[in-house]
Amino acid sequence: MKTSILDKAEKTKKTYFGMCYCGVYEYVVPIICDDIVIGVIYAGEFHSDQEKAYSRIKAISEEYNMNQAQLLTLYNSSTQDTIYSPDEITSRLGIVADYLASLYTTLIPLHKNLSKNNLDTYSSEHYILSHAIEFIEQNYSSELNLQKISNFCHCSTSHLSHIFKKNMKVNVKAYINKVRIEHAKLLLKNTHHNISEIAISIGFNDPNYFSNTFKEICGMTPSQYRKTYKQ
Protein backbone atom coordinates (compact mmCIF):
# COMPACT_ATOMS: atom_id res chain seq x y z
CA MET A 1 0.00 0.00 0.00
CA LYS A 2 1.34 3.43 -0.88
CA THR A 3 1.91 5.65 2.15
CA SER A 4 0.01 8.53 0.58
CA ILE A 5 -3.15 6.40 0.31
CA LEU A 6 -2.98 5.36 3.97
CA ASP A 7 -2.13 8.89 5.09
CA LYS A 8 -5.17 10.29 3.31
CA ALA A 9 -7.42 7.55 4.68
CA GLU A 10 -6.17 8.24 8.20
CA LYS A 11 -6.72 11.96 7.75
CA THR A 12 -10.23 11.87 6.27
CA LYS A 13 -11.53 8.61 7.77
CA LYS A 14 -14.14 8.72 5.02
CA THR A 15 -14.63 7.19 1.58
CA TYR A 16 -12.78 9.22 -1.04
CA PHE A 17 -12.31 9.16 -4.82
CA GLY A 18 -8.84 9.46 -6.30
CA MET A 19 -6.51 8.55 -9.15
CA CYS A 20 -3.73 6.02 -8.78
CA TYR A 21 -0.26 6.51 -10.26
CA CYS A 22 -1.34 4.64 -13.42
CA GLY A 23 -4.26 6.98 -14.14
CA VAL A 24 -7.07 4.77 -12.84
CA TYR A 25 -9.76 6.33 -10.66
CA GLU A 26 -11.02 4.31 -7.72
CA TYR A 27 -12.81 4.69 -4.42
CA VAL A 28 -10.95 4.05 -1.19
CA VAL A 29 -13.02 2.96 1.81
CA PRO A 30 -11.14 3.02 5.15
CA ILE A 31 -11.49 0.14 7.62
CA ILE A 32 -11.63 1.77 11.06
CA CYS A 33 -11.23 0.03 14.39
CA ASP A 34 -11.30 2.08 17.61
CA ASP A 35 -10.87 5.26 15.55
CA ILE A 36 -7.70 3.85 13.91
CA VAL A 37 -7.47 3.06 10.19
CA ILE A 38 -6.25 -0.54 9.96
CA GLY A 39 -6.65 -0.92 6.19
CA VAL A 40 -8.63 0.15 3.15
CA ILE A 41 -10.96 -1.36 0.54
CA TYR A 42 -10.44 -0.34 -3.09
CA ALA A 43 -13.47 -0.07 -5.38
CA GLY A 44 -13.11 0.62 -9.09
CA GLU A 45 -11.95 1.03 -11.65
CA PHE A 46 -13.26 4.15 -13.40
CA HIS A 47 -12.01 6.67 -15.94
CA SER A 48 -12.84 10.30 -15.35
CA ASP A 49 -10.05 12.69 -16.33
CA GLN A 50 -8.84 11.12 -19.58
CA GLU A 51 -6.18 13.72 -20.30
CA LYS A 52 -4.57 13.32 -16.89
CA ALA A 53 -4.87 9.54 -17.07
CA TYR A 54 -3.23 9.34 -20.48
CA SER A 55 -0.43 11.58 -19.24
CA ARG A 56 0.27 9.22 -16.35
CA ILE A 57 0.11 6.16 -18.59
CA LYS A 58 2.62 7.79 -20.95
CA ALA A 59 4.95 8.50 -18.03
CA ILE A 60 4.67 4.91 -16.79
CA SER A 61 5.35 3.50 -20.26
CA GLU A 62 8.47 5.62 -20.62
CA GLU A 63 9.76 4.91 -17.11
CA TYR A 64 9.40 1.14 -17.41
CA ASN A 65 9.91 0.83 -21.19
CA MET A 66 6.41 -0.54 -21.78
CA ASN A 67 4.21 -0.39 -24.87
CA GLN A 68 2.08 2.73 -24.47
CA ALA A 69 -0.55 1.64 -26.99
CA GLN A 70 -1.08 -1.65 -25.17
CA LEU A 71 -1.35 0.13 -21.83
CA LEU A 72 -3.98 2.50 -23.24
CA THR A 73 -5.93 -0.44 -24.66
CA LEU A 74 -5.88 -2.19 -21.29
CA TYR A 75 -6.87 1.02 -19.52
CA ASN A 76 -9.86 1.65 -21.80
CA SER A 77 -11.04 -1.96 -21.67
CA SER A 78 -10.78 -2.38 -17.89
CA THR A 79 -12.29 0.91 -16.68
CA GLN A 80 -15.86 2.12 -16.88
CA ASP A 81 -17.67 5.41 -17.51
CA THR A 82 -20.35 5.00 -14.85
CA ILE A 83 -19.08 6.47 -11.59
CA TYR A 84 -21.09 5.73 -8.48
CA SER A 85 -21.62 8.32 -5.78
CA PRO A 86 -19.60 8.13 -2.54
CA ASP A 87 -22.82 7.38 -0.65
CA GLU A 88 -23.58 4.39 -2.90
CA ILE A 89 -20.08 3.00 -2.33
CA THR A 90 -20.20 3.66 1.41
CA SER A 91 -23.66 2.11 1.82
CA ARG A 92 -22.35 -1.14 0.38
CA LEU A 93 -18.66 -1.38 1.22
CA GLY A 94 -19.06 0.52 4.48
CA ILE A 95 -20.86 -2.50 5.84
CA VAL A 96 -17.99 -4.75 4.69
CA ALA A 97 -15.49 -2.37 6.30
CA ASP A 98 -17.42 -2.49 9.59
CA TYR A 99 -17.47 -6.26 9.41
CA LEU A 100 -13.71 -6.49 8.79
CA ALA A 101 -13.08 -4.11 11.68
CA SER A 102 -15.16 -6.35 13.96
CA LEU A 103 -13.18 -9.40 12.82
CA TYR A 104 -9.96 -7.55 13.57
CA THR A 105 -11.21 -6.78 17.06
CA THR A 106 -12.08 -10.43 17.56
CA LEU A 107 -8.66 -11.61 16.37
CA ILE A 108 -6.64 -9.35 18.67
CA PRO A 109 -7.15 -11.44 21.83
CA LEU A 110 -6.77 -14.67 19.84
CA HIS A 111 -3.41 -13.60 18.43
CA LYS A 112 -1.54 -14.00 21.74
CA ASN A 113 -2.91 -17.43 22.56
CA LEU A 114 -3.93 -19.25 19.41
CA SER A 115 -5.07 -22.83 19.70
CA LYS A 116 -6.97 -25.28 17.53
CA ASN A 117 -10.06 -24.95 19.72
CA ASN A 118 -10.40 -21.18 19.57
CA LEU A 119 -9.54 -21.18 15.86
CA ASP A 120 -12.29 -23.74 15.23
CA THR A 121 -14.72 -21.62 17.25
CA TYR A 122 -13.73 -18.50 15.37
CA SER A 123 -14.06 -20.27 12.00
CA SER A 124 -17.58 -21.46 12.86
CA GLU A 125 -18.63 -18.02 14.08
CA HIS A 126 -17.12 -16.35 11.03
CA TYR A 127 -19.07 -18.68 8.73
CA ILE A 128 -22.38 -17.98 10.46
CA LEU A 129 -21.81 -14.23 10.77
CA SER A 130 -20.70 -13.74 7.16
CA HIS A 131 -23.72 -15.68 5.87
CA ALA A 132 -26.10 -13.74 8.12
CA ILE A 133 -24.74 -10.40 6.90
CA GLU A 134 -24.98 -11.46 3.27
CA PHE A 135 -28.55 -12.72 3.77
CA ILE A 136 -29.57 -9.41 5.35
CA GLU A 137 -27.98 -7.38 2.56
CA GLN A 138 -29.74 -9.42 -0.10
CA ASN A 139 -33.15 -9.45 1.62
CA TYR A 140 -33.33 -6.18 3.56
CA SER A 141 -36.39 -5.05 1.57
CA SER A 142 -38.47 -8.09 2.53
CA GLU A 143 -39.84 -9.19 5.90
CA LEU A 144 -36.83 -10.24 7.95
CA ASN A 145 -36.65 -11.75 11.40
CA LEU A 146 -34.19 -13.64 13.54
CA GLN A 147 -35.79 -17.01 12.79
CA LYS A 148 -35.48 -16.61 9.01
CA ILE A 149 -31.86 -15.60 9.25
CA SER A 150 -30.92 -18.39 11.67
CA ASN A 151 -32.66 -20.94 9.41
CA PHE A 152 -30.54 -19.71 6.51
CA CYS A 153 -27.38 -20.02 8.65
CA HIS A 154 -28.38 -23.44 10.02
CA CYS A 155 -28.10 -22.43 13.66
CA SER A 156 -30.40 -21.57 16.56
CA THR A 157 -31.75 -18.06 17.06
CA SER A 158 -29.98 -17.79 20.42
CA HIS A 159 -26.64 -18.81 18.91
CA LEU A 160 -27.01 -16.32 16.07
CA SER A 161 -27.95 -13.55 18.51
CA HIS A 162 -24.91 -14.32 20.65
CA ILE A 163 -22.51 -14.33 17.70
CA PHE A 164 -23.96 -11.16 16.24
CA LYS A 165 -23.85 -9.18 19.48
CA LYS A 166 -20.36 -10.45 20.26
CA ASN A 167 -18.86 -9.52 16.89
CA MET A 168 -20.98 -6.63 15.59
CA LYS A 169 -21.70 -4.99 18.97
CA VAL A 170 -25.38 -4.61 18.04
CA ASN A 171 -28.31 -7.02 17.91
CA VAL A 172 -29.67 -8.42 14.65
CA LYS A 173 -32.69 -6.12 14.53
CA ALA A 174 -30.53 -3.01 14.98
CA TYR A 175 -28.20 -4.17 12.21
CA ILE A 176 -31.13 -4.81 9.83
CA ASN A 177 -32.39 -1.29 10.54
CA LYS A 178 -28.92 0.13 9.88
CA VAL A 179 -28.75 -1.56 6.48
CA ARG A 180 -32.26 -0.40 5.58
CA ILE A 181 -31.57 3.19 6.62
CA GLU A 182 -28.42 3.30 4.48
CA HIS A 183 -30.50 2.33 1.46
CA ALA A 184 -33.20 4.82 2.47
CA LYS A 185 -30.63 7.63 2.47
CA LEU A 186 -29.75 6.86 -1.15
CA LEU A 187 -33.41 6.88 -2.16
CA LEU A 188 -34.07 10.13 -0.35
CA LYS A 189 -31.16 11.79 -2.14
CA ASN A 190 -31.60 10.35 -5.60
CA THR A 191 -35.35 9.81 -6.13
CA HIS A 192 -38.62 11.70 -5.79
CA HIS A 193 -40.47 8.86 -4.03
CA ASN A 194 -42.44 9.97 -1.00
CA ILE A 195 -41.48 8.89 2.51
CA SER A 196 -44.12 6.15 2.72
CA GLU A 197 -43.06 4.63 -0.60
CA ILE A 198 -39.43 4.59 0.48
CA ALA A 199 -40.32 3.05 3.84
CA ILE A 200 -42.20 0.18 2.19
CA SER A 201 -39.52 -0.38 -0.48
CA ILE A 202 -36.82 -0.98 2.15
CA GLY A 203 -38.86 -3.26 4.39
CA PHE A 204 -40.67 -0.95 6.82
CA ASN A 205 -44.42 -1.57 6.81
CA ASP A 206 -45.08 1.38 9.14
CA PRO A 207 -43.90 4.78 7.80
CA ASN A 208 -44.03 6.26 11.31
CA TYR A 209 -41.74 3.54 12.65
CA PHE A 210 -39.43 4.15 9.68
CA SER A 211 -39.29 7.89 10.43
CA ASN A 212 -38.59 7.29 14.11
CA THR A 213 -35.87 4.75 13.32
CA PHE A 214 -34.32 7.05 10.72
CA LYS A 215 -34.20 9.94 13.21
CA GLU A 216 -32.71 7.70 15.89
CA ILE A 217 -29.88 6.59 13.57
CA CYS A 218 -29.29 9.77 11.56
CA GLY A 219 -30.24 12.47 14.04
CA MET A 220 -32.86 13.97 11.72
CA THR A 221 -36.13 13.00 10.06
CA PRO A 222 -36.23 11.60 6.50
CA SER A 223 -37.76 14.89 5.28
CA GLN A 224 -34.98 16.91 6.91
CA TYR A 225 -32.36 14.61 5.43
CA ARG A 226 -33.85 14.99 1.94
CA LYS A 227 -33.92 18.79 2.21
CA THR A 228 -30.30 18.82 3.39
CA TYR A 229 -28.72 16.32 1.02
CA LYS A 230 -30.94 15.88 -2.05
CA GLN A 231 -28.88 16.32 -5.23
Side-chain angles (χ1 to χ4, degrees):
M1 178 187 298
K2 285 189 171 294
T3 303
S4 59
I5 296 292
L6 183 57
D7 286 345
K8 186 168 182 179
E10 289 177 337
K11 183 178 180 180
T12 64
K13 292 184 179 176
K14 294 180 179 179
T15 299
Y16 69 88
F17 189 60
M19 177 185 280
C20 77
Y21 71 98
C22 284
V24 175
Y25 274 94
E26 57 197 352
Y27 277 103
V28 178
V29 182
I31 303 170
I32 302 173
C33 181
D34 293 331
D35 206 38
I36 297 173
V37 177
I38 61 172
V40 297
I41 301 172
Y42 293 95
E45 284 80 17
F46 312 97
H47 53 260
S48 181
D49 187 338
Q50 294 289 67
E51 184 177 345
K52 187 176 181 180
Y54 288 171
S55 175
R56 291 196 177 187
I57 290 172
K58 179 181 179 182
I60 289 293
S61 67
E62 292 174 351
E63 181 177 354
Y64 295 101
N65 193 28
M66 301 175 71
N67 187 301
Q68 184 177 336
Q70 288 183 347
L71 288 178
L72 287 172
T73 298
L74 287 171
Y75 169 82
N76 289 319
S77 64
S78 61
T79 57
Q80 56 179 315
D81 290 313
T82 302
I83 300 177
Y84 301 96
S85 71
D87 284 342
E88 287 179 297
I89 296 296
T90 302
S91 69
R92 291 164 172 78
L93 292 183
I95 293 172
V96 178
D98 288 344
Y99 175 54
L100 292 175
S102 74
L103 292 184
Y104 178 82
T105 301
T106 303
L107 283 171
I108 289 176
L110 292 179
H111 179 69
K112 295 181 179 179
N113 189 28
L114 289 175
S115 69
K116 184 177 185 303
N117 287 337
N118 59 31
L119 281 174
D120 286 345
T121 299
Y122 170 74
S123 178
S124 174
E125 289 186 356
H126 169 74
Y127 176 87
I128 292 172
L129 187 60
S130 62
H131 279 67
I133 288 174
E134 178 64 19
F135 186 77
I136 292 169
E137 180 60 39
Q138 295 298 322
N139 298 278
Y140 70 89
S141 61
S142 61
E143 184 179 347
L144 276 180
N145 55 50
L146 187 60
Q147 186 65 60
K148 282 186 178 181
I149 301 170
S150 61
N151 288 344
F152 178 79
C153 297
H154 304 290
C155 67
S156 68
T157 55
S158 59
H159 189 49
L160 177 61
S161 295
H162 170 73
I163 291 174
F164 221 93
K165 191 67 180 289
K166 173 184 174 182
N167 290 279
M168 303 304 290
K169 311 306 179 188
V170 294
N171 60 38
V172 174
K173 183 178 180 180
Y175 186 81
I176 292 171
N177 284 341
K178 178 182 177 181
V179 171
R180 286 172 169 168
I181 295 305
E182 286 300 320
H183 286 278
K185 287 160 67 175
L186 290 176
L187 293 172
L188 288 166
K189 290 179 63 174
N190 301 312
T191 75
H192 296 286
H193 300 320
N194 63 45
I195 305 300
S196 295
E197 290 174 334
I198 291 175
I200 293 172
S201 72
I202 61 170
F204 285 95
N205 294 324
D206 183 350
N208 290 327
Y209 177 59
F210 162 65
S211 294
N212 291 335
T213 303
F214 191 99
K215 185 174 183 179
E216 181 180 341
I217 293 175
C218 301
M220 63 180 74
T221 67
S223 297
Q224 291 170 332
Y225 183 90
R226 170 169 272 172
K227 290 178 180 179
T228 303
Y229 296 105
K230 186 166 178 58
Q231 299 175 347

